[in-house]
Amino acid sequence: MNIEIKQIKAEATYLLRHTVMWPDMPKNYIILPNDAEGTHFGLFVNNALTSVVSLFIDDKVAQFRKLATATAEQGKGYASMLLTHVVAYAERKKVNSIWCNARTDKKEFYLKFGLHSTKTTFTKGEIDYVVMEKIIIC
């Protein structure tokens, strides 16, 4: 099995974002207004795009968004590999923190990467979220 993580164009993330995260919404729902400003990563298994995530760095703060893994491939560690790569990439960019809007039912997943829950919560499309962050000491 060949696994490779590489930067991809924002448009390459759209199919997985849509089918995994918001399949009942129009495709435009998963397109971010600032996608052009982000750095997008794909994890490929035997040359098939299997997991995606988008990273946005503003000054010394990084946010990752739209982490999605093909449904049939979930539970195999691909999102963990991709997120480990993205956190390391952000740290190399000398950010002071990295954060995300985590679905509350996925909170335990993000704790494994050193993120912790903040007091900020919200609901979008009937799904509850919590803001999670990791402070990075350079």
Side-chain angles (χ1 to χ4, degrees):
M1 180 183 316
N2 180 35
I3 298 173
E4 181 181 14
I5 297 173
K6 58 186 174 182
Q7 287 187 29
I8 58 176
K9 294 183 181 213
E11 296 79 13
T13 69
Y14 294 168
L15 180 61
L16 274 177
R17 283 183 187 178
H18 186 240
T19 57
V20 174
M21 302 180 85
W22 296 101
D24 298 330
M25 299 299 287
K27 185 176 177 184
N28 286 346
Y29 192 77
I30 56 82
I31 298 173
L32 300 171
N34 63 338
D35 264 337
E37 301 160 24
T39 304
H40 310 276
F41 297 91
L43 181 141
F44 294 79
V45 178
N46 297 328
N47 296 317
L49 184 59
T50 303
S51 190
V52 296
V53 68
S54 299
L55 182 69
F56 301 88
I57 299 176
D58 183 13
D59 195 21
K60 294 286 186 183
V61 177
Q63 178 189 21
F64 63 91
R65 301 186 69 183
K66 306 293 185 194
L67 177 63
T69 300
T71 305
E73 301 299 323
Q74 292 179 5
K76 298 179 181 179
Y78 298 135
S80 292
M81 288 180 221
L82 187 56
L83 192 52
T84 297
H85 179 86
V86 168
V87 170
Y89 177 90
E91 289 175 349
R92 286 193 305 275
K93 294 291 185 182
K94 307 287 189 215
V95 301
N96 294 328
S97 65
I98 187 167
W99 67 281
C100 71
N101 296 323
R103 293 181 183 208
T104 55
D105 65 338
K106 303 294 184 188
K107 187 171 82 169
E108 295 299 317
F109 173 78
Y110 295 106
L111 292 173
K112 296 184 291 186
F113 299 92
L115 281 85
H116 67 273
S117 299
T118 68
K119 294 180 181 180
T120 305
T121 61
F122 63 95
T123 301
K124 176 183 174 187
E126 299 182 14
I127 296 174
D128 294 326
Y129 291 84
V130 60
V131 173
M132 298 186 72
E133 71 177 346
K134 177 182 180 180
I135 304 302
I136 300 169
I137 309 299
C138 297

